[in-house]
Amino acid sequence: MRIFDWGGSVGVTYILFRQVHEFPDSVQWQVCELAQAASAGIEVATRLGLSQLTFTSDAQLADGAQILFTAGAIQFIEPSLSALLGSARHAPRHLIINRLPLTPSGPGFVTLQNTGVSIAPCRVANDAEFIRELADLGYGLVDRWKCLESSMHIPMHSELELKHFHGFYFRNVEKS
């Protein structure tokens, strides 16, 4: 089984998860990151002896993974999640998406987000449109939650303020 962690830094989620859960030997956790972060991740995995943790900079490798996991990253990445999944021949069956900014009403928009170490363009999609795009690709919404630890304040545009981000679990109903 392969878990594709899109935007997973140097494998921090895998490293944290393995502190509370032992993964079977058959699990491969593959992080997709920018080349510099992927290189740093390879060094971390080698130093810690984490043979199940691998790295790539090719988002197309999501094709064929059983699970796509992403946390706090896809709003900064091109292509969009629906575009990536729509081009896959063997799209992941399960999607776990965490810390995603979505607007509850009105059209999606792009803003700048101060991450503390940089300022980056950030795509904020419309909530219903985001779910509909994944439904059009055969994904059914199984669960969703509020990510109360993340919010967004946009100076001079209080109407666009997000009090929390969102998390989702989708399953491809066409592969059930």
Side-chain angles (χ1 to χ4, degrees), residues 103-106 109 152-162:
T103 182
S105 61
F109 59 91
M152 184 179 287
H153 170 72
I154 302 174
M156 299 181 284
H157 289 281
S158 60
E159 75 280 6
L160 299 176
E161 181 174 316
L162 303 176

Side-chain angles (χ1 to χ4, degrees), residues 17-34:
F17 280 1
R18 69 184 293 272
Q19 291 176 8
V20 295
H21 178 75
E22 186 175 331
F23 291 103
D25 291 340
S26 60
V27 171
Q28 178 190 19
W29 190 289
Q30 184 174 47
V31 174
C32 181
E33 255 302 346
L34 298 172

Side-chain angles (χ1 to χ4, degrees), residues 36-157:
Q36 188 173 0
S39 293
I42 291 169
E43 291 177 21
V44 168
T46 301
R47 183 170 26 88
L48 297 176
L50 303 174
S51 60
Q52 291 176 295
L53 181 61
T54 63
F55 292 85
T56 184
S57 292
D58 185 358
Q60 296 302 315
L61 291 179
D63 197 346
Q66 287 72 35
I67 299 170
L68 185 145
F69 172 84
T70 185
I74 62 173
Q75 60 266 32
F76 301 109
I77 301 173
E78 289 291 337
S80 68
L81 177 60
S82 60
L84 177 73
L85 296 172
S87 68
R89 290 180 55 221
H90 304 286
R93 179 165 187 217
H94 305 277
L95 307 178
I96 301 170
I97 303 161
N98 203 34
R99 296 192 337 258
L100 179 65
L102 294 171
T103 182
S105 61
F109 59 91
V110 175
T111 187
L112 296 176
Q113 184 170 351
N114 184 340
T115 65
V117 294
S118 66
I119 297 176
C122 175
R123 183 177 51 245
V124 179
N126 173 276
D127 187 290
E129 186 176 310
F130 175 76
I131 293 170
R132 185 173 48 254
E133 285 177 358
L134 292 176
D136 289 348
L137 294 171
Y139 288 94
L141 178 61
V142 177
D143 197 9
R144 71 178 297 165
W145 53 91
K146 294 178 182 177
C147 300
L148 300 174
E149 72 279 10
S150 300
S151 61
M152 184 179 287
H153 170 72
I154 302 174
M156 299 181 284
H157 289 281

